[in-house]
Amino acid sequence: MLNQNKLFFLLLLFLSLFTAQAQEGQNSAPLKTVLDQISARHNIKFNYIDSELVIYKIIPPKETASLAEKIAYIQSKTGCKIKQITENYYSVVNNRNLDKPLCGYLIDEYSGLPVDNAKIVIAGTQILVYSNDKGYFELPLVSPNTIEISHLSFEKKQISPIDLYVSDCPKIKLTSIAQQLDEVIAQRYLTTGIYKKSDGSLEIKPTKFGILPGLIEPDVLQTMQQIPGISSVDETVSNINVRGGTHDQNLFLWNGIRMFQTGHFFGLISAFNPSLAQTISVTKNGSSAFFGESVSSLIAISSHTKSIDKTSSSISSNLISAEFYTKIKTSEKANFILSGRRSLTDFFASPTYKNYRNKVFQNTVVTNLNNNQTVDFQSDETFYFYDFTAQYQQKIGQKNELTADAIMIRNSLLVNQFTTNASKNSDLAQETFGSVINWKTNWNDKNFTEIQFYGSKYTLVSKNEAIESNQILKQENSVLNLGFQVKNSNKISKTITVNQGYQFDEAGVTNFDEINSPFFSRKSIDVLRSHALIAEGILENESKKTFLKVGIRGNYFGKFKITLIEPRLQFNQALNQNLRLEILGEQKSQTLSQVIDLQQDFLGIEKRRWAQANNNTIPIQKSQQFSLGFSYKKSNWLITLDNFYKKITGITTSSQGFQNQFEFVKSSGDYEVLGSEFLVQKNFGRFYTWMSYSYNDNKYSFPSLTPPEFYNNFELKHCISWAGIYEWNTLKLALGCKWHTGKPITTPASTTVDADNAIVYNSPNNDKLNDFFQVNFSASKEWKLESNMALETNISVLNILNTQNSINRFYRVNTANNTVESVNTYALDLTPNVNVKLRF
């Protein structure tokens, strides 16, 4: 033990150090002032450039020190070089790199990922900038004052301007706030770059994206399917089922444009360039009243940034496609962004493409799914896809901002089928054009107005020439959507915000069918206009413990003279430092839906067509949803639990894809889902792991059918996902698996047909497919080539165990012997992929 004298001595030493440090902070002076004092003391002159020394602030040397000692002291503290020119003249030169701007990169100390939207202020000035999506910031003014860095999710940090004068813009590490009650409940949800917010939504930032099993890029719609409660019964991004709903019941928005086409390669790849998206918001329940036309989830993709970033670009390629992205800073207040992607599939048949091809074209016209077993034919196909986006962002003055965006997507397939005697060509084209103009005015710190004009055109066209006859079938389905929305927001106080708005929307659907022999032609055009008034109030106390958003949307459909009132609710309450309660609820409606007339429409590949509600045979769909959930976060543990009830009315049998006794029956009804979603996640430094479980009890009710109630075609009663992820600097590894019970199917009662040569079925959805199980792997590594250049490589292996998973089964009549045979559709086999991206 220390005796009292030693303890007293240590206390004095501590106090003297503390006092010295306090004096050091108080007695610091600009370097120019110190040089002036030395000049007066020793009767000499210093020559220097003001802008080179303005950043320095030091404690003056002792007055009793010699001139040589003072010069050595200044050189050691600043790194400046002081050279004697004559007996009384000295030059002072800053050896640091003054040609480069005062800049830096902010990174998360824990994950090594960039920190965007951090506030950087030069103390004592009005200079304020924000870091961009790469964590980069640049200060327009050289100053000796301390630089202060702040961010909602990280601890505040102060640095000296001297720290930024190095050969490259330095990396500055920020420490995340461990327990923070703000709008972000979880900084990392499943992987880095996915956040759970207090309004119940999940936010995905691709630029911060970590890694997920089976993915080589942050594909928006593939990433969604890792979230509990979101799945795809047929392993595609064009058939995403959120809490048991159909894909068309989800609202997909790209910068405010409604997207009626979401996939490339007929559903295996997202139609949205992964190099482009800045923020993706996924809302399963409790969406804002500003969003309509959806009875299930909301997926809002925004590729805009809050600040005008510097010019940057990237190019990349994988075994399916190549893409580019470039952002051009045209001025201090404007930038222009271009992105594009084009498949390599029409001149390079990689193993990845062959597996995708086998998955997409099985049991379609491409593989001759006709009941004529006598035709011996061969076929080949040419397929390609591309997408292109253009964006312009302009800040006008201090209060106004203009953005304009355009998107184009296309899939094209040409099929050549031939026998020894004949050759026939069939083709399929699917494309989207969309544009939007957005104007935002910040009247003051508490009030802004935003107006948006949008439009999109979706077209699906096919021509099917039958190889066994001269019959030609032409089909077309198109949607034209136009509208505008006005939003005004008022911040009443520090805790209360009120939003009001209006939306006009017009959607027209065209369907066309024509057969040459016997000649038949049909064309229909349905147009529906709607008006919506919107009001929304937000309460969030200063401690961030309580968040409440209450909204109401009133829709008026003039064609039907119907008004629908839709309330929305989002409530989040911190019960203590670690536990939060979440209550979400909503009522929504939808007039556009996808239906299937015949399973072999559009070559059997994209067989769904958009249809407009007529308030008769196709009702307006309406939804009610309520959920109660909890989030627990402590000591790097994250546990979430959501229990929900969901009911959708106004669905039709045509929209549900029946392939049993109800395939050609026209009826309307509803479905009801009761379910739970559970996630447990644990971080162990560089390694973290998570497991999720979802339960759905999903049943139809069609009063005119027999029986009227049975299981939903899209019910996956039990789903389990697990992943283990390791991240160390720029190396990332992910291994994961997913398992779920098989989808419901209807089995035949007999292996032979009845007197009418038709299949006799058991009760609808009386059986299930075998359980689905898949193990996936991903790895990525980044290399820094130069200060502004990096190379990123990614590999992935889907279904690494090469498990054969049946994702659909239906039955047909074999006309050769009048027996019933089953037709199975299988998921992807073992499928590798590689991606290389160069950023500069």
Side-chain angles (χ1 to χ4, degrees), residues 609-771:
R609 64 176 76 206
W610 287 95
Q612 186 68 268
N614 55 26
N615 208 32
N616 185 12
T617 55
I618 305 178
I620 297 175
Q621 296 183 51
K622 302 171 188 175
S623 70
Q624 298 178 355
Q625 190 171 184
F626 176 82
S627 63
L628 175 67
F630 297 91
S631 296
Y632 176 83
K633 184 181 179 184
K634 185 178 182 181
S635 303
N636 290 324
W637 282 94
L638 173 64
I639 301 173
T640 65
L641 173 66
D642 290 291
N643 303 290
F644 69 90
Y645 168 80
K646 178 180 180 181
K647 183 175 182 179
I648 310 295
T649 61
I651 65 170
T652 64
T653 49
S654 301
S655 68
Q656 301 301 301
F658 285 104
Q659 290 180 280
N660 54 16
Q661 61 265 52
F662 301 139
E663 182 172 349
F664 303 107
V665 176
K666 305 297 183 182
S667 180
S668 61
D670 58 68
Y671 71 84
E672 198 171 44
V673 191
L674 193 64
S676 292
E677 298 158 1
F678 174 77
L679 171 75
V680 57
Q681 179 175 302
K682 171 64 174 175
N683 293 352
F684 301 93
R686 297 190 180 105
F687 175 79
Y688 61 97
T689 183
W690 54 265
M691 185 182 73
S692 68
Y693 168 74
S694 299
Y695 168 81
N696 282 270
D697 183 68
N698 191 348
K699 291 181 180 178
Y700 286 127
S701 176
F702 287 98
S704 63
L705 301 183
T706 303
E709 295 185 0
F710 50 94
Y711 285 113
N712 193 305
N713 294 340
F714 301 97
E715 182 197 62
L716 301 178
K717 190 171 285 283
H718 304 282
C719 299
I720 297 176
S721 294
W722 169 84
I725 299 172
Y726 179 81
E727 293 182 359
W728 180 62
N729 292 334
T730 59
L731 174 65
K732 303 169 187 176
L733 304 171
L735 179 68
C737 64
K738 53 183 178 181
W739 169 93
H740 61 71
T741 51
K743 71 181 289 284
I745 59 171
T746 306
T747 59
S750 173
T751 57
T752 59
V753 296
D754 63 9
D756 297 322
N757 206 32
I759 300 174
V760 179
Y761 286 97
N762 289 309
S763 58
N765 290 344
N766 65 303
D767 200 2
K768 292 181 182 291
L769 294 173
N770 292 333
D771 295 349

Side-chain angles (χ1 to χ4, degrees), residues 518-583:
F519 182 80
F520 170 80
S521 182
R522 175 185 62 185
K523 185 175 184 179
S524 64
I525 301 175
D526 296 303
V527 179
L528 183 63
R529 300 179 182 90
S530 66
H531 305 266
L533 290 176
I534 304 152
E536 194 173 66
I538 304 171
L539 169 67
E540 186 173 21
N541 61 11
E542 294 186 58
S543 67
K544 306 295 184 181
K545 291 183 177 181
T546 301
F547 176 89
L548 174 65
K549 180 188 286 188
V550 179
I552 191 164
R553 180 185 180 94
N555 296 306
Y556 176 71
F557 304 98
K559 186 175 182 178
F560 309 134
K561 294 182 171 53
I562 291 176
T563 300
L564 298 178
I565 305 299
E566 302 173 0
R568 314 286 174 88
L569 171 68
Q570 303 164 16
F571 175 70
N572 195 290
Q573 176 66 48
L575 303 179
N576 56 41
Q577 192 177 20
N578 309 115
L579 183 64
R580 297 184 76 99
L581 166 70
E582 179 182 83
I583 299 175

Side-chain angles (χ1 to χ4, degrees), residues 74-324:
I74 292 172
Q75 291 184 136
S76 67
K77 289 292 184 181
T78 64
C80 294
K81 186 176 181 181
I82 301 177
K83 184 178 179 181
Q84 186 173 3
I85 306 300
T86 65
E87 181 178 356
N88 295 322
Y89 284 88
Y90 291 78
S91 67
V92 184
V93 179
N94 189 341
N95 286 328
R96 298 181 184 271
N97 181 9
L98 298 175
D99 294 329
K100 76 174 192 65
L102 207 61
C103 59
Y105 289 91
L106 303 181
I107 61 173
D108 186 333
E109 182 181 42
Y110 180 74
S111 66
L113 294 171
V115 177
D116 67 341
N117 205 34
K119 184 168 68 174
I120 300 98
V121 178
I122 298 178
T125 72
Q126 298 297 316
I127 300 300
L128 166 64
V129 298
Y130 290 89
S131 59
N132 66 13
D133 55 2
K134 295 180 177 60
Y136 177 82
F137 68 90
E138 189 174 296
L139 292 168
L141 176 68
V142 177
S143 169
N145 296 358
T146 299
I147 297 171
E148 300 174 347
I149 303 170
S150 60
H151 190 284
L152 283 175
S153 304
F154 295 87
E155 295 178 0
K156 289 185 178 180
K157 187 163 189 169
Q158 293 184 338
I159 61 172
S160 167
I162 300 173
D163 297 333
L164 303 183
Y165 275 110
V166 293
S167 58
D168 295 323
C169 300
K171 291 184 177 180
I172 302 163
K173 295 181 179 180
L174 300 183
T175 303
S176 61
I177 300 173
Q179 299 295 333
Q180 180 171 315
L181 298 177
D182 60 14
E183 65 172 32
V184 178
I185 295 172
Q187 290 287 354
R188 177 157 59 186
Y189 185 92
L190 302 182
T191 189
T192 308
I194 303 181
Y195 310 88
K196 183 172 176 62
K197 303 186 72 178
S198 57
D199 63 2
S201 66
L202 292 169
E203 187 175 90
I204 304 170
K205 288 185 173 290
T207 54
K208 291 186 174 183
F209 194 74
I211 193 171
L212 285 171
L215 300 187
I216 57 170
E217 292 182 292
D219 186 300
V220 176
L221 306 185
Q222 293 286 3
T223 301
M224 274 182 61
Q225 296 178 47
Q226 308 282 336
I227 297 170
I230 302 178
S231 58
S232 175
V233 294
D234 63 2
E235 205 183 28
T236 68
V237 297
S238 59
N239 193 12
I240 293 177
N241 315 114
V242 180
R243 292 179 171 174
T246 54
H247 182 80
D248 60 302
Q249 293 173 343
N250 306 312
L251 176 62
F252 294 90
L253 297 174
W254 185 83
N255 290 335
I257 305 169
R258 184 173 182 184
M259 304 302 297
F260 300 94
Q261 175 186 356
T262 58
H264 280 315
F265 217 136
F266 307 108
L268 287 181
I269 301 169
S270 168
F272 308 109
N273 192 325
S275 297
L276 180 66
Q278 302 291 333
T279 303
I280 302 111
S281 178
V282 180
T283 306
K284 293 184 285 185
N285 182 19
S287 57
S288 168
F290 281 88
F291 300 102
E293 269 301 308
S294 158
V295 291
S296 192
S297 71
L298 164 69
I299 298 90
I301 304 168
S302 172
S303 56
H304 297 150
T305 57
K306 294 183 178 179
S307 58
I308 303 298
D309 301 328
K310 69 173 185 178
T311 298
S312 63
S313 300
S314 71
I315 55 174
S316 65
S317 180
N318 55 53
L319 298 181
I320 294 292
S321 62
E323 64 191 57
F324 78 90

